[in-house]
Amino acid sequence: MSNQAVLFDIGGVLLDGERPLPRAIESLTRLRQADIPFLLLTNTTRRSHAALWQALTAVGIEVAADHLLTPASLASAWLRDHARCPYFLIHPGLQADFDALQSAVPDVQPDVVVIGDAGDGFTYDHLNTAFRAVMAGAPLVSLSDSRYFQEPAGLSLDAGPFVRLLECAAGIQAISLGKPGALFFGEALARLGLPADRVTMIGDDVISDIQGAAAMGTQAILVETGKYRPGDAALLPSGAQQAADVGAAVDRLLAAN
Ligand SMILES: [Mg+2]
């Protein structure tokens, strides 16, 4: 077993929408052949863990189910330990991850608000219900701090700006369970069982992926695919690298191995 490991972001690194990016599948195969373990770490909050895993498998991106980490799986465990009556501001596609938990019931004050990329669910009414719960003292648990993501039609708003909206309105700070939060990266490092400096994060989001992982002490490579924009290079933390795509990033890792 190798004494190093890799964390991959999914959207914009391995997938463009539903389609594997060039060399994505080959890169994972090469790591497997080199006996280098990897986890997939996504802030996607529009699909349940099971649906996401199935979609990945269907396009040839094969990973053990417990090597796919989503903020919702972390949140589900957090809620079991901390909350009785959560109010969910999430996408319907994510609901399955929380089916085992009880949701807020009418006339009962929620004791936590869980926010992900709710898409069309970000209505005034839903946001205001969440705002009132937070003002009444419920902690705000954020599944993603990402500002935007790449869709085939262009960039789209992610959960981050809506988390900021509620933080600003209520004068509080959310508990972040997605990237770039330390809790999410900490869970990934715990599963790998390796010191952070033996781990490399490969992502297309310079803040959520690269700055977040580097703050935990990992190596990091920003790929120039997905949501990458040339100005992102100025935000690279010291020591982080840049590569044209996931294939080039993995070439570099294997060459250094
Ligand atoms: Mg991405």
Side-chain angles (χ1 to χ4, degrees):
M1 182 62 93
S2 168
N3 67 343
Q4 63 168 317
V6 182
L7 302 174
F8 286 101
D9 175 42
I10 299 176
V13 177
L14 300 174
L15 287 185
D16 173 19
E18 301 288 316
R19 221 164 26 92
L21 278 156
R23 299 192 63 201
I25 293 171
E26 170 212 316
S27 295
L28 300 184
T29 302
R30 293 177 70 208
L31 287 178
R32 245 181 237 113
Q33 286 165 349
D35 222 4
I36 296 175
F38 56 85
L39 301 182
L40 309 192
L41 212 60
T42 179
N43 263 10
T44 300
T45 55
R46 285 192 177 198
R47 273 202 284 208
S48 69
H49 185 280
L52 184 60
W53 184 79
Q54 271 173 7
L56 288 167
T57 306
V59 295
I61 294 187
E62 289 177 22
V63 61
D66 65 345
H67 286 186
L68 169 64
L69 262 65
T70 68
S73 43
L74 204 60
S76 190
W78 191 95
L79 290 172
R80 268 196 306 275
D81 297 342
H82 293 86
R84 307 284 167 272
C85 191
Y87 180 75
F88 290 106
L89 193 49
I90 60 173
H91 195 276
L94 196 64
Q95 193 58 53
D97 281 341
F98 298 107
D99 275 351
L101 298 160
Q102 189 160 13
S103 302
V105 285
D107 303 325
V108 175
Q109 188 62 41
D111 59 4
V112 62
V113 172
V114 179
I115 180 170
D117 169 20
D120 292 337
F122 282 130
T123 61
Y124 182 86
D125 191 44
H126 278 144
L127 284 163
N128 207 44
T129 303
F131 166 68
R132 288 178 180 176
V134 172
M135 285 300 277
L140 179 64
V141 170
S142 147
L143 303 179
S144 167
D145 276 327
S146 296
R147 296 171 298 163
Y148 47 79
F149 59 99
Q150 178 76 47
E151 289 194 287
L155 295 175
S156 293
L157 284 168
D158 207 319
F162 298 94
V163 176
R164 295 292 91 74
L165 180 158
L166 289 172
E167 285 181 331
C168 170
I172 51 95
Q173 196 162 14
I175 298 163
S176 175
L177 296 185
K179 294 178 288 185
L183 293 170
F184 198 35
F185 283 112
E187 170 71 16
L189 293 175
R191 286 201 196 186
L192 289 169
L194 285 173
D197 63 356
R198 305 304 306 163
V199 175
T200 302
M201 174 79 210
I202 299 177
D204 68 327
D205 187 318
V206 71
I207 294 175
S208 286
D209 297 327
I210 306 303
Q211 291 185 0
M216 299 294 287
T218 79
Q219 315 284 319
I221 304 177
L222 177 68
V223 291
E224 296 165 11
T225 51
K227 72 174 78 165
Y228 170 83
R229 296 291 181 271
D232 293 345
L235 300 174
L236 275 180
S238 80
Q241 302 177 53
Q242 201 168 325
D245 60 15
V246 65
V250 168
D251 284 344
R252 200 176 300 169
L253 281 177
L254 291 174
N257 198 27

